[in-house]
Amino acid sequence: KAVYGAEAVILGVQRIRTKAADDGDAQFEVLAGPPAVKVPAPCARNLLDRAYGAQRTFTPEPAKAAEMDHMPLFIDQDEDDTGDEADAEAPVAPGTLADIRNMVADVLRLQMQGDRPLVPEEYSRLYLRMVENEVGAHLARRLIEKLYEQAGAATRDNPEAVRAALREAIGRLVPATGEIRLREGRGTPTVVAFVGPTGVGKTTSVAKLAIAFRTRLKHKVGIITEDANRPGGTDPLRMVNRIIGVPLAEANTPEQLVQALRQMRDMDLILVDTAGRSPRATGGIGELRQFLAAGDVDETHLVLPCTGGTRHLQDVAEQFLPLKYNRMMFTKLDEAAAYGIILNVAATVDCALSYVTTGQEYASDIEPGSAERLARLVMGDDRC
């Protein structure tokens, strides 16, 4: 970036800043690289005009305009041993201004290129589609460059083969587990807990899973909630209990959790809905860890919304790591403006995708995570 103002800026390996001259006129000073060169304001202005298309303006006093346009460039002289400053002026060394021009041209070329990989058109198109879907530019570039390196001649010349190879690469990056797998044998229920911040859709997701496993898969399902104290927090679970008869128990302490699990030992699947925790409240995360440890949980799913920002959700995922979650569920896919956030977050924590929710219907709007589906969403080939 080049900035006309009292700031230091970086152009390649050289730095330029503005400096007030003794007569009050602004000057530019090169701080690194060739010998320090002071550039009078009109020259600096013209340099920026060439870089930015005259977007920045500088209007000297009319009486001084002509004089300043012909003001020579001059080189700083070091102070002598006595401390007296020598203000002698000398013409700038040949080629110095040309070097600056070339440097600015290089910077502009890099800015125009951005983080785009230097690959053939089909690969570049896929890169742009992923970035449009908010896949991190660095992650998208690594995927495309690696894909191009590993592709054989036949694949590189076949657009459909290129797209298929990228779908496979995304699948390897973010594996999907599919449906919750139940333990075999009676009296040994599979215990699955759901954790995450407040308002991400944990309780609704638990209700949807309970309906799916009870009505579609014909399993015996029980629900334990740790969120009974929040007003309206258990309404979806009470609805499932009332309509399809799924047992519902409350547990706010590790001891109560153990007791509730004992009462439901004849179930095939027990879903544990936990209260939302602030990722910044380490005490709350520690309490939840002790709570889940008492229940000998088989799977812990971190629930995150597709409507959040990548940086925020990556931070949440990191803060919840003490819970040792081994699955990730993404909710509100139908409300997402882009789908790259799933890839960004899941790739950061190296965790398998379990489920996604796609709407408000309890009986239908949840589906097992699919690497193929995620790849198509991220590549812009599919919509929720």
Side-chain angles (χ1 to χ4, degrees):
K1 297 180 180 180
V3 179
Y4 185 68
E7 299 180 44
V9 296
I10 298 176
L11 293 175
V13 298
Q14 305 198 34
R15 292 187 297 137
I16 296 179
R17 73 179 179 191
T18 57
K19 182 178 180 181
D22 294 337
D23 58 359
D25 291 331
Q27 297 177 328
F28 268 43
E29 180 182 26
V30 177
L31 301 178
V37 177
K38 291 182 179 178
V39 185
C43 298
R45 176 201 61 195
N46 296 336
L47 183 66
L48 295 179
D49 287 352
R50 290 194 294 276
Y52 290 96
Q55 295 179 16
R56 299 171 186 266
T57 60
F58 174 84
T59 306
E61 297 179 17
K64 294 184 179 181
E67 174 187 353
M68 294 176 68
D69 283 336
H70 299 286
M71 186 179 296
L73 300 179
F74 54 91
I75 299 177
D76 273 354
Q77 300 292 329
D78 294 334
E79 297 182 2
D80 57 27
D81 295 338
T82 62
D84 295 332
E85 184 175 355
D87 292 328
E89 299 180 3
V92 69
T96 302
L97 186 56
D99 290 342
I100 296 176
R101 290 171 178 166
N102 293 335
M103 180 174 56
V104 172
D106 290 340
V107 171
L108 292 177
R109 185 161 52 251
L110 290 172
Q111 288 177 337
M112 293 177 65
Q113 177 187 323
D115 201 35
R116 187 181 302 186
L118 299 177
V119 292
E121 181 179 358
E122 180 62 28
Y123 291 82
S124 185
R125 249 197 317 266
L126 291 174
Y127 165 83
L128 292 175
R129 293 291 293 273
M130 287 194 291
V131 172
E132 288 171 0
N133 266 300
E134 297 188 11
V135 176
H138 182 62
L139 175 59
R141 178 172 183 161
R142 283 194 301 151
L143 278 169
I144 292 298
E145 289 180 339
K146 196 69 175 177
L147 186 69
Y148 181 69
E149 289 174 7
Q150 296 180 347
T155 300
R156 289 179 178 178
D157 297 333
N158 186 333
E160 185 51 43
V162 172
R163 301 178 75 84
L166 180 57
R167 287 194 292 269
E168 292 178 4
I170 292 174
R172 290 191 297 269
L173 185 64
V174 186
T177 59
E179 297 272 13
I180 295 172
R181 296 182 181 180
L182 305 183
R183 291 182 181 179
E184 297 181 0
R186 306 296 295 179
T188 55
T190 300
V191 181
V192 181
F194 298 83
V195 301
T198 58
V200 298
K202 293 187 300 298
T203 302
T204 302
S205 299
V206 168
K208 290 179 178 181
L209 285 172
I211 292 172
F213 274 87
R214 181 69 185 91
T215 61
R216 178 169 57 85
L217 301 176
K218 308 302 180 182
H219 292 298
K220 299 176 66 176
V221 182
I223 301 175
I224 300 174
T225 178
E226 190 223 3
D227 199 18
N229 294 328
R230 180 168 59 92
T234 60
D235 287 352
L237 307 182
R238 296 188 186 282
M239 178 269 294
V240 172
N241 169 258
R242 183 177 65 255
I243 295 177
I244 61 176
V246 170
L248 175 62
E250 299 178 7
N252 295 312
T253 66
E255 294 75 19
Q256 291 175 349
L257 176 60
V258 171
Q259 181 178 0
L261 290 172
R262 188 178 298 116
Q263 293 173 351
M264 295 184 180
R265 59 182 175 271
D266 61 336
M267 298 289 119
D268 300 318
L269 174 65
I270 300 176
L271 304 173
V272 181
D273 180 33
T274 66
R277 258 71 172 187
S278 168
R280 298 296 182 186
T282 56
I285 299 291
E287 292 175 358
L288 184 54
R289 182 178 180 179
Q290 295 179 1
F291 178 82
L292 296 177
D296 191 22
V297 174
D298 295 288
E299 295 181 7
T300 300
H301 295 232
L302 176 64
V303 183
L304 297 174
C306 290
T307 53
T310 292
R311 183 173 178 178
H312 169 66
L313 294 188
Q314 287 176 335
D315 183 61
V316 170
E318 181 179 352
Q319 297 298 326
F320 274 81
L321 283 175
L323 299 181
K324 299 181 179 179
Y325 57 85
N326 48 18
R327 303 286 188 274
M328 296 190 77
M329 170 188 286
F330 283 88
T331 61
K332 307 181 183 182
L333 200 67
D334 56 309
E335 301 177 27
Y339 307 106
I341 188 172
I342 301 176
L343 191 60
N344 297 338
V345 178
T348 299
V349 298
D350 189 24
C351 189
L353 177 65
S354 59
Y355 291 90
V356 295
T357 67
T358 57
Q360 303 301 316
E361 293 295 327
Y362 283 84
S364 59
D365 290 341
I366 188 168
E367 59 187 66
S370 164
E372 172 73 14
R373 169 104 152 112
L374 173 60
R376 294 183 65 83
L377 289 170
V378 167
M379 294 167 60
D381 295 335
D382 198 0
R383 294 285 302 177
C384 177

